[in-house]
Amino acid sequence: MIEESARPFRAELLDVHRLRFAETAAPRLTPEERLAMNEVWDAKVRDNPSYFDGPVLVCAGTRREGPDELAISWVRTTYRHFALRRVPFSTSWLPSFFVAVLQPADDGRLLVGRMSDSTAAPGRWQLPGGSLEPPEGDEPLDMRALHRHAARELIEETGIDASPDDLTFWNVIRAGNGGIGVLFRAPSLPATRLRERFEAMAEAERAQGREPELDNIFLIHSTAQLPLLMGPHADYLEPIVRRYAASAAERA
């Protein structure tokens, strides 16, 4: 694999139509890296006890195989690995591997959400989605698994219940830090229903003593509305919204 994750990028859509996945070995941490990683992680947990060192996948590299196919290598690790981002001398850090869902309203606007204070990116506006988890047992990591994960992220973060089979592969985004996101599009729903389902989900979470991952949603139709979203934005949001708006205009 070509290790692309070590150098900075501008977030961009990769415009591929087929994906191939391959598991690879995790990089070996030096004793200094491991010590520094644990110190950073322990400090983050003290600041936010909701942090959980659960299993997660990270992206070890990508390679184009022809104009339309992308091969992605991935590694099993835990969320503690992301603390290496805060270790300046680390050479073993690998970026995220995630799914995200474009959820349109029936008037053409696109749902974006704001991460709550209990998350790793408080106040950040992004699409519903999240880091991938390792497949269970002998299950493969394939597009069916990504469809299921995307549907689960959508209902957990917005209350919108979409079948994995109803999600359509849309594109792949490479974030500015080299992270790879597989994007899906959900069926359009009335704007009122989107808000009702989100509010019902948030109320149910708070009734259980939990803060929802997203504490607010907004519907936008173009990049011109991004400045209305006060706070930080995921760096991939602008190119996705621009492409989405352009494709919507072509269909109109």
Side-chain angles (χ1 to χ4, degrees):
M1 283 288 175
I2 298 173
E3 296 296 338
E4 296 182 334
S5 59
R7 55 183 202 271
F9 298 101
R10 181 177 180 180
E12 62 174 338
L13 290 162
L14 299 184
D15 293 326
V16 294
H17 303 295
R18 293 185 298 276
L19 300 177
R20 185 172 64 83
F21 309 105
E23 184 174 5
T24 189
R28 294 179 65 88
L29 303 185
T30 67
E32 294 78 14
E33 283 179 311
R34 188 171 299 280
L35 176 62
M37 176 186 72
N38 289 337
E39 289 177 347
V40 171
W41 176 260
D42 292 343
K44 293 175 74 68
V45 171
R46 286 195 296 270
D47 291 340
N48 188 342
S50 66
Y51 279 17
F52 171 64
D53 193 22
V56 71
L57 303 186
V58 291
C59 178
T62 62
R63 182 179 67 226
R64 281 191 178 268
E65 298 187 338
D68 298 326
E69 185 169 1
L70 186 72
I72 303 173
S73 63
W74 56 273
V75 166
R76 298 172 190 260
T77 185
T78 69
Y79 279 94
R80 183 183 300 262
H81 175 87
F82 292 125
L84 287 172
R85 294 176 180 176
R86 305 291 185 183
V87 179
F89 60 83
S90 174
T91 60
S92 302
W93 173 76
L94 295 176
S96 57
F97 185 16
F98 62 96
V99 292
V101 181
L102 285 77
Q103 174 61 69
D106 56 5
D107 59 8
R109 291 179 294 169
L110 185 66
L111 184 150
V112 295
R114 187 178 65 190
M115 299 291 283
S116 73
D117 290 342
S118 64
T119 66
R124 185 177 71 186
W125 290 90
Q126 60 183 55
L127 296 177
S131 296
L132 286 162
E133 297 175 2
E136 297 181 1
D138 295 329
E139 290 291 322
L141 183 71
D142 55 17
M143 287 301 293
R144 289 184 61 84
L146 267 64
H147 273 81
R148 291 193 298 270
H149 193 84
R152 185 167 68 249
E153 292 286 345
L154 184 64
I155 191 169
E156 287 179 355
E157 295 190 355
T158 69
I160 299 165
D161 187 5
S163 165
D165 292 335
D166 289 336
L167 300 181
T168 304
F169 172 60
W170 192 76
N171 212 319
V172 175
I173 189 76
R174 183 170 59 191
N177 63 6
I180 292 294
V182 181
L183 308 174
F184 296 91
R185 177 174 173 145
S188 300
L189 291 171
T192 53
R193 190 178 306 173
L194 295 179
R195 292 193 179 92
E196 288 170 356
R197 292 187 178 181
F198 173 76
E199 290 168 1
M201 177 280 301
E203 182 178 355
E205 285 292 289
R206 292 182 176 120
Q208 295 294 320
R210 299 186 296 263
E211 186 67 17
E213 289 190 59
L214 301 180
D215 65 10
N216 196 8
I217 61 171
F218 197 79
L219 297 172
I220 61 175
H221 58 71
S222 73
T223 56
Q225 290 187 298
L226 289 176
L228 299 177
L229 306 176
M230 302 301 293
H233 301 170
D235 65 355
Y236 64 71
L237 193 57
E238 192 271 342
I240 290 175
V241 173
R242 182 191 305 117
R243 177 68 62 84
Y244 170 82
S247 61
E250 290 174 0
R251 293 193 301 269

